């Protein structure tokens, strides 16, 4: 398959900039961080809080400036293949969503692998989610309108977090928005094994899963909370939005997960963006990135106001 000919022409510069990123070479990470550190709007008030736990977890709370009363909340896990990134990578996202959707954004600074493999990062996210729910009044949040968001590995954590919340029955979730989520450690689908995947290679996915799963990697002992695609029972999960590019290595596993959610009776909206590789969001001025942003905001608006 000639992936170059299938690439959206507006994303050519993006692919030339980032190439085929091998996770062992973290050189693109400073560029990604620089994007997240860009000038932000005065229309959003941000504060960092330390959530008590074992260990403590830092979160960043974003709120529209001057907004009164309890607002819906989106708890987000940043991308980075389970090994890169921090909560600041969500700053531009909530700079847009908070005033536009009248929502509180919470980004979790979960620990990274391989220093902290599964279940550490996931438990950081659950500690943060539970604390936000239990302290909703003080945070100005509607406790019955809390949903999850994540891109890439963050999407994998969001999907797993939805399973943990369902099974622990401590936090009711209103929705889950899974953007290009990293869900399946098997890495046996056609899309996951395509040679020459732009931006995020098959090797990067393999390294990310090895780091996150540690000694569990390559075994059948991987629990569903570590890789949500392994979950056999998707009942009682919140409504879902799943999106992915057609040239993303995660394409097949994401489409399969969305299909299974729908077949289980979970209201699920699936979007596949033609010609888009993993990370196409970085080309914010492209038509496909704008269309995807509009689709996500429209879906969120419906579920935040229900």
């Amino acid at each position: 398959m000639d992936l170059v000919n299938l690439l959206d022409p507006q994303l050519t510069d993006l692919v030339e900039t980032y190439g085929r990123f091998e996770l062992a070479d973290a050189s693109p990470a400073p560029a990604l961080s620089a994007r997240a550190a860009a000038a932000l709007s005065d229309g959003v008030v941000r504060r960092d809080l330390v959530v008590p736990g074992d260990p403590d977890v830092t979160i960043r709370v974003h709120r529209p400036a001057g907004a009164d009363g309890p607002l819906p909340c989106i708890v987000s896990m940043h991308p980075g293949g389970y090994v890169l990134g921090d909560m600041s990578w969500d700053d531009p996202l909530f700079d847009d969503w908070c005033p536009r959707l009248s929502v509180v954004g919470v980004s979790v600074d979960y620990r990274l692998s391989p220093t902290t493999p599964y279940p550490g990062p996931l438990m950081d996210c659950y500690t943060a989610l539970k604390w936000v729910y239990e302290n909703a009044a003080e945070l100005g949040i509607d406790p019955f309108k809390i949903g999850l968001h994540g891109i890439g590995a963050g999407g994998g954590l969001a999907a797993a977090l939805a399973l943990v919340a369902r099974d622990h029955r401590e936090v009711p979730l209103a929705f889950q928005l899974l953007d290009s989520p990293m869900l399946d450690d098997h890495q046996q689908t056609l899309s996951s094994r395509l040679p020459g995947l732009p931006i995020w290679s098959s090797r990067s996915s393999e390294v990310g899963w090895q780091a996150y799963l540690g000694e569990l990697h390559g075994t059948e002992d991987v629990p569903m909370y570590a890789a949500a695609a392994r979950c056999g029972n998707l009942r009682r999960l919140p409504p879902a939005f799943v999106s992915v590019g057609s040239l993303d290595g995660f394409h097949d596993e994401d489409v399969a997960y969305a299909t299974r959610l729908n077949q289980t009776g979970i209201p699920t909206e699936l979007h596949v963006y033609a010609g888009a590789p993993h990370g196409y969001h970085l080309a914010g001025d492209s038509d496909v990135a704008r269309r995807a942003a509009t689709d996500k905001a429209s879906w969120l608006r419906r579920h935040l106001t229900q």
Side-chain angles (χ1 to χ4, degrees):
M1 183 184 298
D2 188 347
L3 300 184
V4 174
N5 290 335
L6 297 176
L7 182 69
D8 185 320
Q10 293 186 356
L11 303 179
T12 301
D13 289 345
L14 175 73
V15 171
E16 289 178 352
T17 298
Y18 290 96
R20 188 164 66 93
F21 172 40
E22 296 291 351
L23 194 52
D25 172 14
S27 57
L32 292 170
S33 298
R35 281 179 173 269
L40 297 173
S41 168
D42 293 335
V44 176
V45 177
R46 305 163 200 87
R47 56 177 175 150
D48 295 350
L49 301 174
V50 176
V51 174
D54 184 20
D56 296 345
V57 180
T58 301
I59 62 173
R60 179 164 294 170
V61 180
H62 309 249
R63 188 179 183 87
D68 296 323
L71 299 178
C73 175
I74 301 171
V75 176
S76 180
M77 279 55 69
H78 66 78
Y82 297 109
V83 301
L84 295 173
D86 58 54
M87 63 186 182
S88 71
W89 285 18
D90 281 338
D91 286 355
L93 178 74
F94 286 128
D95 218 41
D96 174 34
W97 280 356
C98 287
R100 177 148 63 126
L101 301 174
S102 192
V103 67
V104 173
V106 174
S107 186
V108 184
D109 209 28
Y110 59 87
R111 289 169 292 168
L112 299 177
S113 301
T115 303
T116 305
Y118 171 84
L122 179 61
M123 290 302 97
D124 290 348
C125 297
Y126 188 68
T127 295
L129 173 65
K130 185 179 176 183
W131 186 87
V132 166
Y133 173 70
E134 292 174 345
N135 293 272
E138 292 81 359
L139 296 169
I141 289 171
D142 183 340
F144 300 107
K145 291 185 179 180
I146 298 175
L148 304 176
H149 165 267
I151 300 174
L157 285 169
L161 191 56
L163 295 173
V164 173
R166 176 197 67 181
D167 295 343
H168 284 209
R169 301 189 178 189
E170 294 176 315
V171 182
L173 291 175
F175 58 84
Q176 53 179 325
L177 196 161
L178 313 177
D179 191 344
S180 315
M182 190 172 177
L183 300 170
D184 188 355
D185 66 292
H186 286 106
Q187 295 293 283
Q188 293 298 315
T189 65
L190 177 61
S191 68
S192 71
R193 301 173 69 85
L194 285 174
L197 283 168
I199 300 182
W200 188 262
S201 69
S202 299
R203 176 58 180 162
S204 293
S205 294
E206 183 71 11
V207 171
W209 279 117
Q210 287 175 347
Y212 184 55
L213 297 177
E215 294 181 355
L216 292 172
H217 184 259
T219 74
E220 286 307 308
D221 297 327
V222 176
M224 65 181 183
Y225 301 124
R230 287 180 175 255
C231 181
N233 178 7
L234 299 179
R235 295 182 180 87
R236 297 188 295 105
L237 287 170
F241 178 105
V242 180
S243 62
V244 66
S246 66
L247 302 185
D248 193 323
F250 303 143
H251 170 273
D252 293 358
E253 65 201 66
D254 293 353
V255 171
Y257 196 71
T259 300
R260 289 181 57 216
L261 285 168
N262 261 320
Q263 291 174 343
T264 305
I266 307 301
T268 303
E269 189 167 309
L270 171 66
H271 291 258
V272 176
Y273 297 103
H278 194 74
Y280 69 91
H281 318 78
L282 295 171
D285 291 334
S286 65
D287 290 342
V288 65
R290 289 178 175 176
R291 186 165 65 253
T294 297
D295 290 340
K296 289 199 293 185
S298 175
W299 186 86
L300 282 170
R301 186 174 289 108
R302 294 196 304 274
H303 286 79
L304 292 168
T305 56
Q306 287 180 353

